Amino acid sequence: MSVPLLDLNAQYAPLRADILEAVTRVCDSQRFILGPETQALERELAATLEVADAIGVSSGTDALLVAMMALGIGAGDEVITSTYSFFATAGCISRLGARPVLVDIDPVTYNIDPAGVARALTPKTRAIIPVHLYGQCADMDALVEVASAPGVPIIEDACQSIGATWRGRQSGSIGVAGCFSFFPSKNLGGFGDGGLVTTQDAALGKEIRLLRGHGAERRYYHERVGGNFRIDELQAAVLRVKAPHLPEWTAARRRNADRYRQLFARFGLGQIGLPAEQAGASHIYNQFVIRAPRRDGLKDHLQSAGIGCEVYYPVPFHLQECFRNLGHSRGDFPHAERAADESLALPIYGELSEAQQEQVVSSIAAFYDAARA
Ligand SMILES: Cc1ncc(COP(=O)(O)O)c(C=O)c1O
């Protein structure tokens, strides 16, 4: 039995009729961009995510970009973020001509270290972007405290954390803006690219809407230089079918995480580091990431046994070729470097069966048994 890293068909099959109906509704309307589906999605997700405004955009990347543009971030500015995330987080800072100021992670949660953020603040700091990596919120209490004295806005990169909470508050609702991705592998995934910016600040929401459509409220009259950051009606319609199922999908992922914990204990795999849930954070397990000795050998072993697994992320930002100009070298952020060398994501999607999980863990046990023999 092979076990894929993600099985989107298993999620699609029971929703197929509803999704095709939603797609047909859009086709029949011939309204493809910023129509009633987008408006309804924005309203519905603003309620779910407990924010004043939610703006549908073209991707999680563009959510980050347009949120920073709306705050006026540009050349000469500094934006503090984690060195360990998907590329878009730092890439967007750079694209605006600002400097990504990188900070190491907490080795237990993989999230940005608030003490490192405090040390990285300068008079040029214009924003802090914590990433709620793998579906667990960064320590928002500590970050809000660090940011509040200098009055620096926090933009939450919530691309992996839709529905996660920090002390009961939705991820993406605490900073000045929250940025979400509907990339198909996310817990709420579309049928292509899509994203969302959330905010509690009506004026900021208005600015983001303006920038989403080339800075023009009245067609052909441009108040700002924005971009085409719009979400399609087809994506919005599909996401509206899927969004009500998010709580049950999250519960299934959390159940699977518990099952893995039991299985790792049963197989005596104490050498494997399991994800830790921080007090105050409710994890949604977009990824279930373990720490494994001889990780690359284990990865090859699992893949040849038909078990999907992936390294998120093999190279931290400070060691990326395109960020050589930042002047970092190996050793600068040791926790991120270790995570890059040791971590491995296992299948965690909601429809995963107990038998499949047992297969994953028994295959991991077989790898270490063979090494001992
Ligand atoms: C942490 C993080 N930031 C940003 C993004 C960018 O989102 P997208 O792929 O929708 O552009 C992603 C998703 O891949 C992500 O995981």
Side-chain angles (χ1 to χ4, degrees), residues 59-61 64 85-86 88-89 131 157 159-160 181 183 186 194 313:
S59 66
T61 303
L64 287 163
S85 175
F86 177 65
T89 317
V131 183
D157 184 337
C159 284
Q160 299 184 8
S181 166
F183 185 76
K186 303 302 194 223
Y313 298 92

Side-chain angles (χ1 to χ4, degrees), residues 257-275 288 290-291 298 346 357 360-362 364-365 368:
D258 284 345
R259 278 205 304 230
Y260 269 135
R261 289 202 174 84
Q262 288 159 21
L263 285 164
F264 277 100
R266 199 169 96 208
F267 280 84
L269 284 162
Q271 68 272 55
I272 301 287
L274 299 176
F288 186 90
I290 61 168
R291 297 277 196 134
L298 175 64
L346 302 179
Q357 287 190 269
V360 173
V361 180
S362 69
I364 293 172
Y368 290 107

Side-chain angles (χ1 to χ4, degrees), residues 206-367:
K206 194 159 178 263
E207 183 71 11
I208 290 168
R209 280 177 198 283
L210 190 65
L211 291 168
R212 172 175 71 175
H214 285 298
E217 200 169 315
R218 201 172 137 215
R219 196 183 291 182
Y220 306 126
Y221 293 82
H222 300 270
E223 296 163 49
R224 309 268 191 283
V225 178
N228 173 1
F229 303 130
R230 301 178 301 239
I231 190 169
D232 292 341
E233 284 286 277
L234 281 167
Q235 294 307 331
V238 170
L239 289 163
R240 288 186 66 210
V241 174
K242 295 179 91 177
H245 297 277
L246 190 57
E248 88 219 30
W249 293 338
T250 300
R253 284 170 180 265
R254 291 183 54 78
R255 176 206 60 208
N256 293 350
D258 284 345
R259 278 205 304 230
Y260 269 135
R261 289 202 174 84
Q262 288 159 21
L263 285 164
F264 277 100
R266 199 169 96 208
F267 280 84
L269 284 162
Q271 68 272 55
I272 301 287
L274 299 176
E277 296 193 5
Q278 192 178 9
S282 168
H283 204 315
I284 60 145
Y285 292 100
N286 179 239
Q287 302 294 344
F288 186 90
V289 175
I290 61 168
R291 297 277 196 134
R294 290 183 294 114
R295 189 269 320 270
D296 291 337
L298 175 64
K299 178 172 176 255
D300 292 345
H301 166 82
L302 291 175
Q303 285 177 340
S304 52
I307 292 169
C309 55
E310 189 59 87
V311 175
Y312 302 115
Y313 298 92
V315 185
F317 295 151
H318 67 283
L319 300 178
Q320 293 286 354
E321 174 74 27
C322 67
F323 290 136
R324 272 173 69 168
N325 62 316
L326 298 178
H328 290 295
S329 49
R330 187 165 285 280
D332 282 3
F333 302 116
H335 295 311
E337 290 169 21
R338 259 192 79 192
D341 291 343
E342 295 178 357
S343 62
L344 189 65
L346 302 179
I348 188 68
Y349 58 92
E351 298 79 7
L352 197 65
S353 71
E354 192 162 357
Q356 285 176 307
Q357 287 190 269
E358 188 154 343
Q359 169 135 355
V360 173
V361 180
S362 69
S363 187
I364 293 172
F367 172 75

